[in-house]
Amino acid sequence: MPDLSHRRRLLVLAICCMSLLIVSLDNTVLNVALPSLQRDLHASTSGLQWTIDAYTLVLAALLMLAGSTADRIGRKRVFLTGLVVFGLGSLLCSLAPNLELLVVFRMVQAVGGSMLNPVAMSIITNTFTDPRERARAIGVWGAVVGISMAAGPLVGGLLVESVGWRSIFWINLPVALVAILLTLRFVPESRAPKARRFDPVGQVLVVALFGSLTYAIIEAPHARAGTVLPFAAIAFLALLALARYEPRRTEPLIDLRFFRSAPFSGATVIAVCGFAALGGFLFLSTLYLQNVRGLDALHAGLWMLPMAVPTLLCAPLSGRLVGSRGPRLPLLIAGCAITTSTVLFAAFQAETSNLTLTLGYLLFGIGFGFVNAPITNSAVSGMPRSQAGVAAAVASTSRQLGSTLGVAVVGALLASGVGSSSYRDVFVTAAQPGWWVLVACGVLVLVLGAVTSSRWARRTAQATAEHLKEHEVREAAGVGA
């Protein structure tokens, strides 16, 4: 990538953030629209789960493929393709006549979305080469998630109440169009010096693992054991096959050598836990506010502002802390805040009081605001720039997998607890097992944040980076690993 002026680098960052905005805003807005969609399309709880998880599942399955493809054929080219497909998927979602087709069109959206976030992060990593400048750029990137959380409930609530749930997909179209035009004009093309080969077996195994695992979790409360167990077995076998097959490839879809770095491994698990907490938190909160308290979509969105605003404010602060002091402090703050917030709901039924409900939302917003920047920075720092797309894609995959599992597990526990009763009668009690799962996620963020930001962990990251660079040098010289 050619050297760019400071103003041009900031413009590239803004364009990349636009892609993150439409992807993040789409999920946030959809959560607010779930009760309206449920009434209009006569969807069950599992149907609502699939509306969200069909998107995050496909996204998680294709992110690493998109990252490596972008490194190979050009990041700008893949990024542009993603914007076009995401816009088309959004248009189709707005026209869906039933739940089944909406789920299918959400998967089309996800195909485009898989080409946006990891590729945009790779573009940012290769644009901002100074570590501190890159950490601040990642902080801005994380703040966009906060913006989507702040704007999503309000914009979604206003659109759902005034126009209907279909309009939530329309807002993606002008943003995608502007992003396409700006990308064509200002984003330079870049690719890895050495192209990575396609790994079809690894890709199939990833799809089998994520898809079968999610299906087994979501359908467990409703289907017979004989229906669910085969999918659980497929997930287990796919995991074993990945662990055995991928290390034997010269250029695997999932480079297991990355996981020799404790910060990278920690960032991967923290991403799963942090975004599982977010997915489950939003799912439970939306259904509670609208189906139990009886609020309309707009007022439910206003109730979520105590969660959204701290995320918006804390994300850039987290990026600055990562750039100046490293990831340890932001991760500890995130773990403590997420754990405390979810304990309020799990142990003290925070939903039943306006004060504790607001406090729980506030604490969760602080925690999530601090968690994103250290995840991304730990994932890409120390990795060779030629591997930036793949490393960023693993982190993004972990986020989407976490969100998928959070909605699947929490939704399954809620559906099992509600049974044939109405939400209004049993929701608070039925939701408690789900809240305890989110407590466990917060504790893991705290513990892993402390362990994987230690001096020992930093030494493993340095050793991994040196090993990867030596491997690249040997391959370039024709020696091989």
Side-chain angles (χ1 to χ4, degrees), residues 230-288:
F231 287 92
I234 290 172
F236 179 70
L237 292 174
L239 178 62
L240 291 180
L242 273 171
R244 184 173 180 82
Y245 174 78
E246 290 295 285
R248 298 182 177 185
R249 282 187 59 87
T250 305
E251 295 176 347
L253 177 68
I254 305 174
D255 196 333
L256 299 182
R257 293 173 301 174
F258 288 175
F259 292 93
R260 297 177 183 177
S261 164
F264 180 87
S265 300
T268 302
V269 180
I270 289 170
V272 172
C273 294
F275 278 76
L278 175 67
F281 197 99
L282 290 177
F283 190 80
L284 290 176
S285 295
T286 299
L287 293 179
Y288 171 76

Side-chain angles (χ1 to χ4, degrees), residues 1 11-23 66-67 69-71 73-87 111-124 141 175-190:
M1 179 177 286
L11 185 57
V12 170
L13 174 62
I15 295 168
C16 291
C17 286
M18 290 176 71
S19 72
L20 176 64
L21 179 63
I22 58 176
V23 173
T69 301
D71 283 346
I73 70 173
R75 296 168 182 130
K76 178 178 179 178
R77 181 181 302 176
V78 173
F79 187 67
L80 281 169
T81 303
L83 288 169
V84 172
V85 175
F86 188 86
V111 173
S114 70
M115 304 179 200
L116 296 180
N117 287 3
V119 180
M121 178 52 61
S122 181
I123 292 172
I124 291 172
W141 172 267
V175 179
L177 179 60
V178 171
I180 289 170
L181 296 176
L182 291 176
T183 301
L184 287 169
R185 175 67 179 86
F186 295 107
V187 176
E189 183 61 279
S190 65

Side-chain angles (χ1 to χ4, degrees), residues 97-367:
N98 53 53
L99 181 68
E100 290 76 17
L101 282 178
L102 177 61
V103 170
V104 171
F105 295 151
R106 287 281 289 165
M107 296 171 73
V108 174
Q109 262 191 314
V111 173
S114 70
M115 304 179 200
L116 296 180
N117 287 3
V119 180
M121 178 52 61
S122 181
I123 292 172
I124 291 172
T125 303
N126 283 272
T127 300
F128 295 89
T129 55
D130 177 73
R132 290 198 173 190
E133 191 178 35
R134 183 178 62 199
R136 293 191 183 98
I138 291 173
V140 174
W141 172 267
V144 173
V145 178
I147 293 172
S148 72
M149 288 185 66
L154 292 178
V155 173
L158 184 61
L159 288 173
V160 170
E161 290 303 311
S162 60
V163 183
W165 63 265
R166 297 179 186 278
S167 62
I168 65 175
F169 297 105
W170 299 343
I171 58 177
N172 297 329
L173 302 179
V175 179
L177 179 60
V178 171
I180 289 170
L181 296 176
L182 291 176
T183 301
L184 287 169
R185 175 67 179 86
F186 295 107
V187 176
E189 183 61 279
S190 65
R191 55 177 56 87
K194 184 179 183 299
R196 294 173 62 85
R197 287 177 292 181
F198 179 49
D199 179 7
V201 175
Q203 185 61 57
V204 169
L205 290 173
V206 166
V207 172
L209 170 60
F210 292 172
S212 55
L213 178 62
T214 304
Y215 181 89
I217 294 173
I218 290 179
E219 298 300 328
H222 317 286
R224 291 173 298 179
T227 304
V228 173
L229 287 178
F231 287 92
I234 290 172
F236 179 70
L237 292 174
L239 178 62
L240 291 180
L242 273 171
R244 184 173 180 82
Y245 174 78
E246 290 295 285
R248 298 182 177 185
R249 282 187 59 87
T250 305
E251 295 176 347
L253 177 68
I254 305 174
D255 196 333
L256 299 182
R257 293 173 301 174
F258 288 175
F259 292 93
R260 297 177 183 177
S261 164
F264 180 87
S265 300
T268 302
V269 180
I270 289 170
V272 172
C273 294
F275 278 76
L278 175 67
F281 197 99
L282 290 177
F283 190 80
L284 290 176
S285 295
T286 299
L287 293 179
Y288 171 76
L289 291 173
Q290 296 190 52
N291 287 354
V292 179
R293 288 206 170 193
L295 300 178
D296 58 36
L298 178 58
H299 286 88
L302 289 171
W303 259 104
M304 290 186 183
L305 280 179
M307 174 176 58
V309 173
T311 300
L312 174 63
L313 298 177
C314 292
L317 174 60
S318 177
R320 289 184 176 274
L321 284 174
V322 171
S324 60
R325 301 183 59 179
R328 186 179 185 84
L329 181 59
L331 287 175
L332 295 181
I333 294 173
C336 288
I338 291 174
T339 302
T340 305
S341 168
T342 49
V343 164
L344 285 176
F345 289 92
F348 301 101
Q349 298 186 346
E351 306 100 317
T352 57
S353 164
N354 287 345
L355 177 62
T356 52
L357 181 63
T358 303
L359 180 60
Y361 283 175
L362 182 68
L363 287 169
F364 191 89
I366 292 171

